[in-house]
Amino acid sequence: MNSDAVRFLLNNDVVTIENIDPNLTVLQYLRDERFKNGTKEGCASGDCGACTVVLAELNNDNETLNYKSINACISFVGSLHGKQLITVEHLKQGAKLHHVQQAMVDNHGSQCGFCTPGFVMSSFALHKQNSSPNRAEVLEALAGNLCRCTGYRSIIDAAMVSSEDAEDDSFAQHYQQSVKHLQDFKNLPAAQLCNAKHQYYAPKNTAELAEKLLNSPQATLVAGGTDLALMVTQNLGTIADLVYLGDVAELHTLENNADEFIIGSAVPYTTFTPMLHDEYHELGEMIERIGSRQIRNNGTLGGNIGNASPIGDMPPALIALGADITLQRGDVERKIALEDYFVGYKQTVLKDAEFIKNIYIPKAKTGQILKLYKISKRIDDDISAVLAAFFLEINDNLVTNVRIAFGGMAAIPMRAKQCEAALLNKAFNRENISAAQQALTLDFQPMSDVRASDKYRMKVAQNLLQKCYLELQNKTIETRVVNYA
Ligand SMILES: Cc1cc2nc3c(=O)[nH]c(=O)nc-3n(C[C@H](O)[C@H](O)[C@H](O)COP(=O)(O)OP(=O)(O)OC[C@H]3O[C@@H](n4cnc5c(N)ncnc54)[C@H](O)[C@@H]3O)c2cc1C
Ligand code: FES
Ligand code: FES
């Protein structure tokens, strides 16, 4: 196995790191090793945005850069390999503030200032990608940043300020030089990091990945790290042998053919979501409610499935759509239905040394409809209490095909087969919907936890079926559909 140190640009300087604990987060690296304390720690769990930094990475054309905001607190330091890390300290342009910083001053967007670097970096990433964002785009870009004192209006006003007329900043001036560095990094062999106890390896292709896993089946895979890093930052655990999937070329492919979408397991949400929007509008909208922009810039579909959480949002939606996944071990691949992947709470059919390679999402045929409902306490950046996914085909008011799946109702994301049976080959009418609502009590015995009680979960699942029916009937819901007991 050929491997090398981790190399990246810290602002405009080339940095090489080797003997450093790979369990270190980018935030700890910046604050403790580089003494760059402008990036703040609020929650250390991806929730507040105080630690937001910006990564620039090469686009597929290998010539242009994609700037994205990420949460430094839940990104492992090794994942910086081959990228440019931009921190708040570097925004200032000589003696002048950067125009996104100046806009915060001009719009009175800061009081205690603790959240300010994070907001500034989210705004910087947005303006690098879009010089005149509209209000919806600003809200989406800032939804992962919390402020306790200023109030959001002035911060939003600041981020709305167009950068169209702004002078080139130092990043624009050094653009070609940055591209050249990142191109050079791309030609380096697989990166690795280690200290006395922990190691980190970033294979560049599936052959290297498969070999590493066969030799070290106990190794832990990390893609975006937005689930896994919490094991270190919240549970105070350590991970002995990390294998990073972000550099594995074959796990980064996207295919849009006549019958299906094929998504590489390590492609981040913000990269693959635009491809799905036209076919499954509600799926695109639901994905935009997964975490925040920072989470979706790093988080992947493979990680969402691999985590096997009963409240992960993608599995129920994809099970309803009849998605398949491929799993690879050594050079052997197998394809299974996603619904067969989950076997118990956080348990899956994944074997030692196996990894998720691709996700296959069938396209809808004429007359097929997907309806999705995410129930959480907040619209943005919140985990579901219940996620309902209804996939229906209705011909002459007869249900000719139905797949219904829920998250948050059982130990695994699961189909509601009794409910489906109550609808299949029956008229799509209120009476049969009532029977199907009843059948949900045979499918699930949900649990109570901090997000919702068992009773609430069942009621809301039943109500969502009725909401789906009414929406498909094009009726307005004017009254509460089912009374809470
Ligand atoms: C603040 C916050 C908000 C969030 N909001 C949501 C939300 O609204 N909805 C939601 O569903 N999730 C949410 N999440 C959870 C998380 O962001 C998603 O599950 C995300 O898709 C995980 O992807 P990742 O690439 O970061 O996974 P990682 O953290 O890298 O990995 C997660 C798990 O999957 C395994 N894994 C990763 N890739 C593979 C692979 N190719 N093959 C086999 N195993 C693999 C890893 O070993 C690990 O056990 C949130 C997380 C945070 C911190
Ligand atoms: S410190 Fe709160 S999101 Fe990172
Ligand atoms: S200015 Fe104090 S938290 Fe935002």
Side-chain angles (χ1 to χ4, degrees), residues 351-464:
K351 296 180 188 155
D352 273 355
E354 204 170 31
F355 58 91
I356 302 166
K357 188 174 183 197
N358 285 315
I359 297 92
Y360 296 73
I361 308 176
K363 290 192 170 173
K365 302 199 170 56
T366 312
Q368 296 181 333
I369 309 149
L370 175 72
K371 298 289 290 174
L372 285 178
Y373 303 98
K374 170 167 174 161
I375 302 296
S376 57
K377 288 182 182 160
R378 291 185 310 190
I379 291 288
D380 291 307
D381 208 356
D382 203 0
I383 307 281
S384 298
V386 172
L387 192 127
F390 304 103
F391 184 68
L392 291 151
E393 191 170 342
I394 301 163
N395 291 300
D396 296 331
N397 208 40
L398 191 74
V399 178
T400 53
N401 188 2
V402 54
R403 294 172 63 92
I404 297 175
F406 280 90
M409 293 292 286
I412 56 173
M414 212 168 113
R415 271 175 80 179
K417 291 202 173 166
Q418 303 280 350
C419 177
E420 290 175 5
L423 293 171
L424 188 62
N425 297 323
K426 309 254 171 66
F428 193 56
N429 61 25
R430 194 174 279 272
E431 197 186 341
N432 291 329
I433 289 292
S434 292
Q437 283 177 300
Q438 255 335 97
L440 280 173
T441 60
L442 304 175
D443 284 312
F444 301 115
Q445 289 84 48
M447 61 179 270
S448 296
D449 64 13
V450 286
R451 294 184 210 292
S453 67
D454 52 352
K455 260 190 185 168
Y456 175 85
R457 286 194 154 103
M458 182 51 73
K459 281 286 185 223
V460 91
Q462 292 174 323
N463 284 358
L464 291 175

Side-chain angles (χ1 to χ4, degrees), residues 45-47 74 220-230 245 251 265 269 289-291 295 298-304 306-307 311-314 341 350 354-357 374 381-384:
S45 60
D47 286 298
I74 51 169
T220 304
L221 298 177
V222 58
T226 62
D227 268 319
L228 192 72
L230 301 191
L245 303 180
L251 304 188
S265 63
Y269 290 105
R289 288 184 55 199
I290 292 185
I295 295 287
N298 259 357
T300 65
L301 194 41
N304 199 235
N307 191 40
I311 46 173
D313 285 331
M314 292 303 283
Y341 182 73
L350 199 73
E354 204 170 31
F355 58 91
I356 302 166
K357 188 174 183 197
K374 170 167 174 161
D381 208 356
D382 203 0
I383 307 281
S384 298

Side-chain angles (χ1 to χ4, degrees), residues 129-314:
Q129 296 294 110
N130 179 351
S131 60
S132 47
N134 61 35
R135 191 176 166 82
E137 289 163 339
V138 165
L139 294 183
E140 197 258 340
L142 300 186
N145 294 79
L146 300 182
C147 175
R148 296 164 304 170
C149 35
T150 302
Y152 293 100
R153 190 191 49 76
S154 48
I155 299 174
I156 292 165
D157 287 349
M160 286 289 295
V161 175
S162 166
S163 55
E164 258 169 6
D165 303 326
E167 286 168 23
D168 273 359
D169 62 15
S170 58
F171 301 98
Q173 287 155 13
H174 288 96
Y175 193 86
Q176 287 313 330
Q177 196 182 320
S178 304
V179 167
K180 174 78 178 66
H181 279 302
L182 302 200
Q183 287 169 341
D184 292 344
F185 294 154
K186 226 176 176 172
N187 296 326
L188 294 171
Q192 78 169 1
L193 271 183
C194 58
N195 71 349
K197 289 190 185 151
H198 308 131
Q199 50 181 315
Y200 174 95
Y201 173 56
K204 297 187 77 176
N205 51 51
T206 47
E208 287 179 354
L209 170 62
E211 186 195 345
K212 163 71 186 174
L213 292 180
L214 286 177
N215 293 332
S216 318
Q218 80 297 337
T220 304
L221 298 177
V222 58
T226 62
D227 268 319
L228 192 72
L230 301 191
M231 192 198 283
V232 175
T233 66
Q234 299 300 298
N235 297 352
L236 308 182
T238 53
I239 305 170
D241 195 357
L242 272 170
V243 177
Y244 178 58
L245 303 180
D247 293 346
V248 180
E250 297 94 323
L251 304 188
H252 277 271
T253 55
L254 281 182
E255 217 179 303
N256 179 357
N257 65 38
D259 301 321
E260 62 191 357
F261 300 104
I262 308 175
I263 300 177
S265 63
V267 181
Y269 290 105
T270 42
T271 306
F272 71 76
T273 308
M275 182 177 83
L276 299 176
H277 247 296
D278 283 349
E279 186 80 10
Y280 294 120
H281 182 68
E282 293 203 4
L283 181 58
E285 287 193 336
M286 189 278 282
I287 295 173
E288 280 160 16
R289 288 184 55 199
I290 292 185
S292 58
R293 161 64 59 163
Q294 290 93 318
I295 295 287
R296 295 190 298 278
N297 278 337
N298 259 357
T300 65
L301 194 41
N304 199 235
I305 296 169
N307 191 40
S309 163
I311 46 173
D313 285 331
M314 292 303 283

